[in-house]
Amino acid sequence: MKGLPLVEVEKKSLDSYVKIVGKKKIEEIKDFSSNLEGYKVLHVNSTAYGGGVAEILQALVPLMRDIGLDAEWRTISGDKSFFNVTKAFHNALQGMDIRLNQEMRDIYLKYNKKNAKNFSGEYDFIVIHDPQPAAIYHYLKPYPGIWIWRCHIDLTNTNMAFWNFIKPFIEIYDAYIFTLKNYAQEGLGKEKIFVFTPSIDPLSKKNDSLTLNESKKIFENYKVDTSRPIILQVSRFDPWKDPLGVIDAYRIVKKQFPNVQLVMAGSMAIDDPEGIRYYKKTKSYAGEDPGIFLLSNLDGVGDKEINAFQVASDIIIQKSTREGFGLTVTEGLWKGKPIIGGNVGGIPIQIINGVNGFLVNNINECAEKMIFLLKNPEISKSMGEKAREYVRNNFLITDHLYNYLKLFKNLLKTD
Ligand code: UDP
């Protein structure tokens, strides 16, 4: 087959979102999109499954099609050595102290060049997601279309050796999208910077309504006792998601609530070879505690199961120490739960401390807030109602689509 591998997506209809966001908003999006009909859009990322970007594209691409854009999603290919290197890039760009060596540079460029060779077709807008495929454009330029780099990670404390290495490949894009204004690095043309957040799809299997009873049954399939309190963190097994800190916080809670259980659900994405390693590390840290459940897609945990876990848990946390945005926070808030989240990156734009959740800076604070919510289910419930409305007003896929349309129109004007 010619071109980068194509990802198949389900059909979606913007009209079905009327019941979530109202007719006015949907009409507004449709009116706005009318003169973009037929424009060709390509999204490129590194995995069709696992992690936030894949999650977004599953909804965004079909909705772009529904409003008349000719949208596609393709992925790049690489072997283990490439994904090891890109994971190191991901970590370093988020601030980890890693040395950049020549072998890493060579592997990164070799696979970007290979993928550039496989690239075919012409598009009006090409959106390249994250650092993994970022250098493709360097190998293709000059190439028709408006090229956009969408950065999903937090670059505020970036490792400069890595940033300086990829900067020349990024600078050549026509526009960049960041989740927060302060993620954009110095030296990128200000007029090319656009800022908007990711989003969740309220009608996806992961977020569509599920009854408490049905959700509890799903938990019970995994031997989790729904008559006892349940703490949940949904995350890849990754150092920035602090799974070991989650276990420490749970152990503090357990002193006051001996019955409490901890569920950590984490999918293994193909672009994340560190996942299995970190899963093993977490498992050994959890020891023989029968109250800790480490579950993943390898145990059959898919979107519906994640949904059920979020619906039937008493406490949801996202104890990250770095987080570009944190879709798991959005998903939890949408389930009508206050979220206890690390006070980092994109989490503080989602959690208003004390209103729809709590922002925490360390293990003790995390444990303290979990104990507070376990002791105060009524407060938890009323915070949860605010949580859902906050997501409805700020972080749904419909707004995200609108932001892309505005960006496209803006770029057509300046092209
Ligand atoms: N996810 C999942 N199964 C898991 C773990 C994570 O489906 O076992 C999903 C999660 O629900 C969310 C996405 O992966 O939609 C993670 O996005 P987030 O922005 O929280 O973090 P990232 O993985 O992109 O760093």
Side-chain angles (χ1 to χ4, degrees):
M1 197 187 68
K2 227 169 158 240
L4 300 175
L6 192 66
V7 182
E8 297 290 339
V9 288
E10 282 175 17
K11 236 176 127 103
K12 286 187 190 282
S13 146
L14 191 60
D15 283 332
S16 51
Y17 292 76
V18 166
K19 63 177 186 259
I20 310 278
V21 297
K23 204 172 164 68
K24 193 166 159 249
K25 169 130 285 153
I26 299 300
E27 291 304 325
E28 210 181 317
I29 299 175
K30 283 188 177 170
D31 286 349
F32 191 77
S33 68
S34 57
N35 50 0
L36 284 171
E37 211 164 297
Y39 275 89
K40 292 190 76 175
V41 181
L42 172 67
H43 290 271
V44 177
N45 82 323
S46 61
T47 176
Y49 175 78
V53 180
E55 191 69 25
I56 291 163
L57 294 180
Q58 267 156 32
L60 190 61
V61 171
L63 285 176
M64 283 189 167
R65 282 184 191 167
D66 187 59
I67 57 162
L69 289 166
D70 183 358
E72 277 179 6
W73 171 13
R74 292 178 184 268
T75 55
I76 52 162
S77 314
D79 69 354
K80 209 169 156 205
S81 71
F82 175 66
F83 288 123
N84 272 322
V85 166
T86 56
K87 190 64 204 291
F89 269 61
H90 173 94
N91 285 337
L93 289 167
Q94 293 217 111
M96 202 180 265
D97 187 15
I98 301 174
R99 275 186 83 83
L100 175 63
N101 60 37
Q102 194 54 42
E103 192 189 358
M104 289 163 131
R105 290 188 182 97
D106 292 344
I107 291 175
Y108 178 76
L109 293 180
K110 177 178 148 195
Y111 282 93
N112 267 272
K113 193 172 181 182
K114 262 189 170 177
N115 281 290
K117 268 198 184 137
N118 282 340
F119 193 99
S120 74
E122 287 191 12
Y123 302 86
D124 298 291
F125 302 100
I126 304 95
V127 188
I128 302 286
H129 293 261
D130 276 342
Q132 299 94 328
I136 284 186
Y137 185 37
H138 163 75
Y139 289 108
L140 290 170
K141 204 174 187 282
Y143 200 93
I146 295 176
W147 287 73
I148 302 161
W149 185 57
R150 201 317 173 200
C151 176
H152 293 267
I153 59 180
D154 175 355
L155 296 178
T156 34
N157 286 305
T158 203
N159 178 323
M160 288 313 283
F162 284 78
W163 174 252
N164 286 332
F165 171 68
I166 69 158
K167 191 176 164 200
F169 310 125
I170 305 288
E171 274 172 335
I172 57 175
Y173 280 79
D174 301 302
Y176 327 107
I177 311 169
F178 292 96
T179 297
L180 290 177
K181 204 166 163 220
N182 62 344
Y183 287 180
Q185 283 295 306
E186 296 277 322
L188 294 177
K190 281 210 168 61
E191 68 296 343
K192 292 197 208 171
I193 297 174
F194 295 82
V195 177
F196 52 84
T197 67
S199 64
I200 59 162
D201 176 5
L203 297 181
S204 70
K205 257 197 206 150
K206 187 170 283 172
N207 297 308
D208 208 355
S209 53
L210 210 55
T211 66
L212 184 59
N213 267 343
E214 197 181 344
S215 302
K216 283 185 172 175
K217 276 195 198 119
I218 292 177
F219 248 152
E220 280 152 16
N221 291 340
Y222 290 93
K223 310 275 183 282
V224 179
D225 182 349
T226 54
S227 67
R228 290 161 51 193
I230 302 167
I231 299 169
L232 173 72
Q233 173 157 301
V234 176
S235 274
R236 288 178 296 103
F237 289 96
D238 173 301
W240 304 112
K241 312 286 185 183
D242 198 15
L244 309 189
V246 169
I247 294 176
D248 288 336
Y250 150 84
R251 286 182 177 144
I252 299 175
V253 176
K254 204 173 163 176
K255 288 187 190 140
Q256 287 202 39
F257 290 87
N259 249 348
V260 74
Q261 301 160 96
L262 171 65
V263 176
M264 297 170 85
S267 61
M268 309 290 169
I270 62 145
D271 66 344
D272 185 5
E274 208 181 11
I276 296 276
R277 216 161 48 237
Y278 225 76
Y279 171 84
K280 288 187 182 150
K281 193 168 172 175
T282 310
K283 196 160 180 58
S284 110
Y285 198 70
E288 297 300 306
D289 186 337
I292 301 182
F293 298 81
L294 298 192
L295 302 171
S296 79
N297 50 321
L298 307 178
D299 306 293
V301 175
D303 289 348
K304 189 169 180 188
E305 287 73 20
I306 296 288
N307 190 344
F309 294 172
Q310 288 164 335
V311 169
S313 290
D314 299 275
I315 305 285
I316 305 182
I317 64 175
Q318 186 56 54
K319 216 207 132 318
S320 304
T321 54
R322 277 278 195 291
E323 191 63 77
F325 182 65
L327 284 177
T328 53
V329 173
T330 336
E331 290 160 8
L333 294 168
W334 181 246
K335 307 299 163 14
K337 302 282 161 88
I339 307 299
I340 299 170
N343 192 9
V344 292
I347 297 181
I349 56 174
Q350 302 192 61
I351 297 179
I352 309 165
N353 198 25
V355 177
N356 63 358
F358 293 106
L359 293 168
V360 295
N361 295 294
N362 53 48
I363 291 163
N364 282 331
E365 280 180 27
C366 181
E368 189 191 304
K369 297 305 178 198
M370 291 201 268
I371 292 167
F372 174 83
L373 290 177
L374 284 171
K375 284 186 174 163
N376 295 285
E378 282 308 313
I379 297 181
S380 178
K381 192 165 172 252
S382 86
M383 289 175 83
E385 282 157 15
K386 291 179 193 130
R388 185 169 167 96
E389 288 318 299
Y390 199 63
V391 172
R392 193 193 306 277
N393 294 326
N394 295 286
F395 305 120
L396 293 184
I397 190 74
T398 37
D399 283 320
H400 200 173
L401 173 68
Y402 204 2
N403 283 329
Y404 265 104
L405 301 178
K406 283 189 228 164
L407 170 69
F408 291 163
K409 281 202 183 177
N410 206 317
L411 293 172
L412 283 173
K413 256 191 267 156
T414 54
D415 188 29

